[in-house]
């Protein structure tokens, strides 16, 4: 007789191997959100192209953080990074065709540049308080020693004090959890303007021109979380069977 396999039977067999779950009040160590910040950074930069630019066709931007450091025990947060910009532009190309009074031949090029930024801000209010770092300690101690005095001193007297030929120390070191950041989102509003635009030479259209330098102004909005690994207590009340 051929048996019929049901999906429920396979699931039941799989659920026979239940994971071990500790019951009660458990202490675990997980990243805790200390603060969620919205920062606004102002950037002004001059970009120099490797060749004359006729027209900007497209700009793609990506925000990268290279440093996000909460300087405990203060509330100062140091932010550093850059905006990677890939600029696609048209450059005049006389090899294709010489300019005329009604036309300009050009080819497309790409230029990638990193625009740096940095800012120091203060966290005025924490969602959860950070665990402050414990200071390392180092203490010296000595033992008293007695020595016989040389000739010229009473025979019953002794030299008492520490021995400078020995060095004793007790030290302790704490390995504190360093806060770190998580980049959530970014938004850029920018304005680009040519600085040295000049008309095209020869018989080119009067309104066409080229430039090699561009001034860029950006308003960069960044949203990020500041976290730190901390020990927290969680409640585990049951180890239920596998649920469908």
């Amino acid at each position: 007789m051929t048996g019929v396999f049901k999906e429920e039977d396979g699931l039941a067999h799989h659920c026979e191997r239940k994971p071990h779950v500790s019951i009660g009040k458990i202490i675990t160590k997980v990243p805790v959100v200390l603060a969620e910040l919205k920062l606004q950074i102002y950037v002004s930069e001059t970009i120099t192209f490797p060749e004359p630019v006729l027209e900007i066709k497209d700009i793609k931007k990506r925000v990268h953080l290279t440093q996000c450091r909460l300087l405990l025990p203060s509330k100062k947060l140091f932010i550093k990074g850059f905006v990677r910009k890939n600029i696609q532009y048209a450059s005049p190309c006389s090899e294709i065709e010489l300019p005329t009074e009604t036309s300009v031949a050009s080819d497309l090029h790409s230029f990638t540049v990193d625009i740096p930024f940095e800012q120091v801000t203060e966290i005025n209010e924490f969602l959860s308080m950070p665990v402050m770092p414990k200071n390392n300690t180092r203490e010296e101690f000595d033992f008293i020693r007695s020595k016989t005095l040389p000739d010229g001193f009473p025979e019953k007297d002794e030299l008492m004090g520490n021995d400078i030929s020995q060095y004793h120390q007790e030290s302790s070191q704490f390995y504190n959890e360093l806060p770190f950041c998580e980049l959530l989102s970014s938004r850029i509003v920018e304005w680009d303007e040519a600085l040295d635009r000049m008309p095209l030479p020869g018989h080119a259209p009067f309104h066409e021109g080229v430039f090699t330098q561009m001034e860029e102004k950006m308003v960069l909005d960044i949203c990020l979380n500041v976290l730190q690994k901390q020990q927290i207590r969680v409640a585990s009340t049951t180890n239920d069977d596998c649920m469908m």
Side-chain angles (χ1 to χ4, degrees), residues 205-234:
F206 72 93
H207 56 84
E208 298 291 348
V210 292
F211 61 91
T212 58
Q213 285 191 328
M214 181 177 71
E215 183 183 31
E216 178 182 70
K217 297 184 183 299
M218 287 192 302
V219 177
L220 173 61
D221 294 320
I222 294 179
C223 184
L224 55 85
N225 280 344
V226 182
L227 306 99
Q228 183 187 41
K229 287 186 178 180
Q230 296 183 6
Q231 291 183 343
I232 63 172
R233 187 188 298 273
V234 296

Side-chain angles (χ1 to χ4, degrees), residues 135-141 167-175:
N135 298 325
N136 297 335
T137 61
R138 185 173 58 187
E139 298 179 346
E140 299 178 17
F141 58 92
Y167 182 81
H168 309 279
Q169 184 186 82
E170 178 183 356
S171 61
S172 61
Q173 186 172 1
F174 295 94
Y175 302 93

Side-chain angles (χ1 to χ4, degrees), residues 160-203:
M160 291 182 293
N162 64 316
D163 189 350
I164 61 175
S165 66
Q166 297 181 0
Y167 182 81
H168 309 279
Q169 184 186 82
E170 178 183 356
S171 61
S172 61
Q173 186 172 1
F174 295 94
Y175 302 93
N176 303 288
E177 287 290 348
L178 187 67
F180 60 96
C181 294
E182 180 183 39
L183 185 60
L184 300 179
S185 64
S186 63
R187 176 176 175 266
I188 297 176
V189 178
E190 67 176 298
W191 174 38
D192 300 326
E193 183 180 20
L195 295 178
D196 57 349
R197 191 172 189 271
M198 300 180 60
L200 280 172
H203 300 285

Side-chain angles (χ1 to χ4, degrees), residues 58-164:
D58 190 19
I59 299 179
K60 294 182 179 180
K61 300 171 290 293
R62 295 291 184 271
V63 176
H64 299 272
L65 291 184
T66 59
Q67 183 183 89
C68 184
R69 186 71 67 232
L70 177 59
L71 193 61
L72 294 177
S74 73
K75 298 181 180 180
K76 299 294 184 180
L77 182 69
F78 290 77
I79 300 293
K80 186 181 294 185
F82 63 92
V83 178
R84 180 187 185 272
K85 299 193 66 171
N86 178 260
I87 307 172
Q88 299 178 12
Y89 61 93
S91 181
C93 184
S94 58
E95 297 178 358
I96 299 176
E97 184 182 55
L98 293 175
T100 67
E101 294 182 354
T102 58
S103 65
V104 179
S106 63
D107 50 5
L108 292 179
H109 292 254
S110 175
F111 184 60
T112 301
V113 60
D114 293 338
I115 309 298
F117 63 84
E118 61 180 298
Q119 181 170 311
V120 180
T121 187
E122 184 167 347
I123 302 179
N124 296 318
E125 185 176 355
F126 287 100
L127 298 178
S128 298
M129 291 302 299
V131 177
M132 294 300 175
K134 296 181 179 179
N135 298 325
N136 297 335
T137 61
R138 185 173 58 187
E139 298 179 346
E140 299 178 17
F141 58 92
D142 293 309
F143 294 100
I144 189 169
R145 294 195 64 180
S146 299
K147 292 183 178 181
T148 303
L149 292 170
D151 294 340
F153 292 89
E155 183 179 353
K156 294 183 179 180
D157 290 346
E158 293 181 335
L159 175 66
M160 291 182 293
N162 64 316
D163 189 350
I164 61 175

